[in-house]
Amino acid sequence: MLWLIFLVLLFAAVISFNQYIKNRKKYKAGEMGETEIYQMLNQAAPRSSVILRNLYLPTARGTTEIDLLLLSRKGIFVFEIKNYRGNIYGDERYNEWLKVLRNGKKVPFYNPVWQNEGHIRALLRLLPEINPRVVYSRIVFCGSSEIKRVKIKNRRVQVLKDTDLKRKLKWKLRFSFNKFSGKEPALFERRLQEFTNMNGRVKRKHKKQVKSLK
């Protein structure tokens, strides 16, 4: 009887360890994608701009995390970074998108446009004086993923590969009209600083919240 209990416990431990390794790999892949885009923004954005990383903003259910935020005179850009493999299919109208792996396996994931809309709503609650029309959503796919068919009609939303981001962002920052004064990005930064560099407790609580929603 004892050996049976031991086998059950061992089996459970192996499953837990494998899940831990899998989650750790996902976390590292996400971090690598964010770092890549962060460095790209530093190169593309004007000096008057401000870049914030990993903001944990309050919501009715807890917190929501913005991967990267660019505060510029041309507008505010909210980035959701996806470091995925496979071909990406999606439509802004539908709850689920698909990534299709090389072996043909279809993996659904939550609509990142909707996900980023939640981030933007949380941001606008903290900065209510900002016109939503000057806030832009950018969904960026990194890694070996390919955007095969994605339908987007909203002009303030772009879904693109990391390889196209720098060129398109530079064009937007160079040729669009100013939406803010030269001092406003820094003012917004000061009001948002308290939501960056959160302690481990906040991050763990956020991860638990995300897991429960999945």
Side-chain angles (χ1 to χ4, degrees):
M1 188 66 181
L2 287 175
W3 65 268
L4 182 59
I5 295 173
F6 174 78
L7 284 177
V8 170
L9 292 174
L10 180 62
F11 182 70
V14 170
I15 291 176
S16 297
F17 180 75
N18 288 339
Q19 188 62 45
Y20 168 79
I21 295 298
K22 186 177 180 181
N23 291 339
R24 189 66 183 169
K25 286 181 178 179
K26 286 183 179 180
Y27 177 76
K28 285 186 176 180
E31 270 202 335
M32 287 173 62
E34 288 177 21
T35 300
E36 174 195 334
I37 302 305
Y38 178 78
Q39 292 171 347
M40 193 179 295
L41 294 183
N42 270 315
Q43 295 172 6
R47 290 183 179 179
S48 59
S49 302
V50 175
I51 304 169
L52 297 175
R53 185 173 178 178
N54 300 127
L55 282 84
Y56 291 83
L57 306 184
T59 68
R61 294 184 177 183
T63 56
T64 191
E65 182 187 5
I66 293 179
D67 291 337
L68 288 168
L69 184 69
L70 173 63
L71 306 168
S72 77
R73 297 186 67 187
K74 306 295 183 177
I76 295 176
F77 297 82
V78 182
F79 293 87
E80 175 61 30
I81 315 299
K82 299 295 185 187
N83 194 350
Y84 284 173
R85 293 178 293 118
N87 296 328
I88 306 300
Y89 299 86
D91 189 311
E92 65 179 341
R93 298 171 298 172
Y94 301 136
N95 177 61
E96 283 190 347
W97 288 21
L98 277 180
K99 54 180 177 180
V100 182
L101 306 181
R102 287 184 179 180
N103 61 7
K105 183 180 179 181
K106 297 179 180 179
V107 182
F109 62 99
Y110 183 61
N111 183 336
V113 174
W114 291 9
Q115 184 180 2
N116 220 26
E117 283 177 358
H119 300 158
I120 291 171
R121 286 194 298 271
L123 179 68
L124 292 174
R125 280 193 292 269
L126 292 170
L127 303 173
E129 71 274 22
I130 291 177
N131 187 332
R133 292 181 177 274
V134 303
V135 181
Y136 304 97
S137 176
R138 296 293 182 265
I139 315 301
V140 184
F141 284 91
C142 305
S144 59
S145 59
E146 293 292 336
I147 300 172
K148 287 297 183 180
R149 189 171 65 248
V150 171
K151 295 182 180 180
I152 304 292
K153 290 186 178 181
N154 189 333
R155 293 183 178 181
R156 291 192 298 278
V157 176
Q158 281 187 0
V159 177
L160 65 167
K161 278 286 293 180
D162 53 345
T163 49
D164 298 322
L165 175 62
K166 190 174 182 179
R167 173 177 54 84
K168 292 188 176 183
L169 184 63
K170 272 191 170 182
W171 189 95
K172 181 74 174 177
L173 294 174
R174 182 175 296 178
F175 295 111
S176 59
F177 293 107
N178 288 338
K179 310 298 190 305
F180 302 110
S181 70
K183 295 181 179 180
E184 284 182 294
L187 292 175
F188 298 146
E189 177 194 19
R190 284 197 285 273
R191 291 167 62 182
L192 294 171
Q193 273 294 344
E194 66 176 290
F195 303 103
T196 64
N197 300 319
M198 303 301 283
N199 60 41
R201 179 175 172 274
V202 172
K203 292 179 180 180
R204 287 192 297 272
K205 189 174 181 181
H206 174 76
K207 286 181 182 179
K208 187 176 180 181
Q209 171 195 335
V210 171
K211 190 175 180 180
S212 68
L213 290 174
K214 288 180 181 179

